[in-house]
Amino acid sequence: MCCARRARTCRGRPRLAALLVLFTALALTGLRAGPATAADGDVSWTVRTAANGYGDDRSSFGYAVNQGGTVEDTMVVTNRGRSTLRLAVYASDGYTTDAGQLDLLTREKKSVGVGAWVHPRTDTLTIKPGKSADVPFTVTVPKNATPGDHVGGLLTSLKQSDTAAGINVDRRLGVRLALRVGGELTPRLAVEGLHVDYDGTLNPFAKGTATVTYIVHNTGNALLSARQDVSVQGPFGRLRTAAGDLEDTPKLLPGERWTVKVPVRGVAPGVRLTATAELLPLLTDPSGSTTPLKPVEATAHTWAVPWLVGLLLLVVAVTSLLVRRARARRRKREAVRVREAVERALQEA
């Protein structure tokens, strides 16, 4: 379910496309189930799933539907405040924010998935204090819908003006809605753009920190998260150092990317380092449980030469260069002497 957040728009300025919902759906964030509540002074309301054939105590809406299929369900909105509520009702597509939370597009942004397929029977509600209102809705999946997972939400919205502050406030509250469209399910994750940087110290014998960066890309059509294992090692697999326990990636919708930056501390400067990122994809089914899939991994290399060793190598390289130049000059002088001797011998003959 979704908890309300505020977004403010200054009058006389371009409207900000602020995201107004903080998603707390059980299947996505692990928070406990229950009605989501928006409260501010005299204004307070809750949204929840209706008790019906789909269940009596659901944390969100979730369905498995074939292409061209339809589903009917109901959301319940209750006015907990002391004044009459007038709310807008609409559906919207979901996406993963930079903070790793599922959020919803604002009403002004066009939805092409769940937000376009969910049709509430009403787009406005007027609810007296202490009363509840049902919002029946229909989910109509297009015949050409892409198989796999689609996530969005059904929202209620209250826009208010704060004349003293000169701002508009849009408070939104809704329930997550997830669809798994029938067809071949192809869950896939890819590790892209992996690279590693090494930061050593002035002490040639001290260990430093390797920073491993990569992008997790959901290239399949299913909702996926992943367990992460990152390590750095020297030549021939020696001096391996692991990053330790890492948090799972957030659940990514099909097509989404997530950038990961992992510091690996205590890495010995092993001249040539190899960084490895191994991910274990986790498939989330409509019930919220996860199934591990085949691991994927990527590697990258960098140099980590202690400055003392580097200095010695530089000295060796410079000395070798000077020796080669000296030898070349000697060979040139010897060639000149031979040529002059030959010329004298020819003249005498």
Side-chain angles (χ1 to χ4, degrees):
M1 298 184 182
C2 312
C3 293
R5 257 196 322 191
R6 296 185 175 187
R8 300 180 175 181
T9 306
C10 297
R11 293 179 179 176
R13 296 180 181 180
R15 198 167 182 181
L16 297 177
L19 202 46
L20 309 176
V21 177
L22 174 61
F23 238 69
T24 58
L26 177 63
L28 293 174
T29 64
L31 300 184
R32 66 191 177 106
T37 304
D40 185 10
D42 293 337
V43 178
S44 176
W45 79 96
T46 62
V47 294
R48 60 179 176 85
T49 59
N52 51 32
Y54 291 107
D56 297 336
D57 188 21
R58 295 173 289 165
S59 62
S60 61
F61 298 113
Y63 317 101
V65 190
N66 291 325
Q67 296 167 322
T70 60
V71 174
E72 293 185 353
D73 209 335
T74 302
M75 180 174 72
V76 180
V77 184
T78 302
N79 185 353
R80 304 291 186 183
R82 295 191 292 268
S83 58
T84 299
L85 271 178
R86 293 175 178 82
L87 303 172
V89 180
Y90 62 96
S92 185
D93 285 351
Y95 71 98
T96 304
T97 68
D98 292 339
Q101 300 292 328
L102 182 65
D103 236 326
L104 298 178
L105 296 178
T106 56
R107 192 173 191 178
E108 292 76 15
K109 293 185 177 180
K110 183 178 180 180
S111 292
V112 295
V114 170
W117 304 344
V118 176
H119 307 283
R121 194 168 297 176
T122 180
D123 57 6
T124 57
L125 284 177
T126 300
I127 311 175
K128 294 182 178 181
K131 300 297 184 180
S132 297
D134 289 347
V135 182
F137 63 89
T138 301
V139 182
T140 303
V141 178
K143 294 182 179 180
N144 62 348
T146 303
D149 292 334
H150 303 264
V151 178
L154 184 59
L155 290 159
T156 57
S157 170
L158 175 64
K159 290 188 177 181
Q160 296 174 307
S161 297
D162 188 336
T163 55
I167 59 175
N168 293 326
V169 179
D170 188 357
R171 302 172 60 206
R172 305 195 305 167
L173 193 67
V175 181
R176 173 188 180 271
L177 195 153
L179 293 174
R180 176 162 288 178
V181 177
E184 183 182 3
L185 196 65
T186 55
R188 285 193 300 263
L189 278 183
V191 182
E192 300 174 345
L194 189 143
H195 68 274
V196 55
D197 298 308
Y198 184 75
D199 185 15
T201 66
L202 293 177
N203 184 346
F205 305 104
K207 297 179 179 180
T209 298
T211 301
V212 182
T213 306
Y214 54 93
I215 296 172
V216 182
H217 185 190
N218 186 345
T219 58
N221 63 0
L223 187 69
L224 291 174
S225 61
R227 296 188 185 125
Q228 305 178 93
D229 182 24
V230 175
S231 63
V232 177
Q233 61 188 19
F236 311 109
R238 300 178 64 86
L239 304 174
R240 183 180 183 276
T241 304
D245 293 335
L246 300 175
E247 293 184 357
D248 293 352
T249 68
K251 293 181 175 66
L252 299 177
L253 294 169
E256 288 187 329
R257 292 175 170 86
W258 178 256
T259 300
V260 180
K261 190 173 184 179
V262 180
V264 184
R265 297 177 175 84
V267 177
V271 182
R272 184 64 168 170
L273 299 180
T274 300
T276 302
E278 181 176 320
L279 270 63
L280 180 66
L282 301 172
L283 175 65
T284 302
D285 62 26
S287 69
S289 62
T290 57
T291 302
L293 305 175
K294 183 180 179 181
V296 295
E297 71 172 44
T299 59
H301 307 278
T302 191
W303 292 102
V305 182
W307 69 266
L308 183 57
V309 175
L311 180 60
L312 292 175
L313 292 175
L314 178 61
V315 170
V316 171
V318 171
T319 302
S320 177
L321 178 62
L322 293 176
V323 169
R324 287 197 301 270
R325 287 184 175 178
R327 289 176 177 173
R329 285 194 296 268
R330 286 197 299 269
R331 286 194 297 268
K332 185 176 181 180
R333 288 195 298 267
E334 183 65 24
V336 170
R337 286 195 297 268
V338 170
R339 185 173 63 252
E340 290 175 348
V342 170
E343 290 176 349
R344 285 195 301 269
L346 292 174
Q347 289 173 357
E348 293 175 355

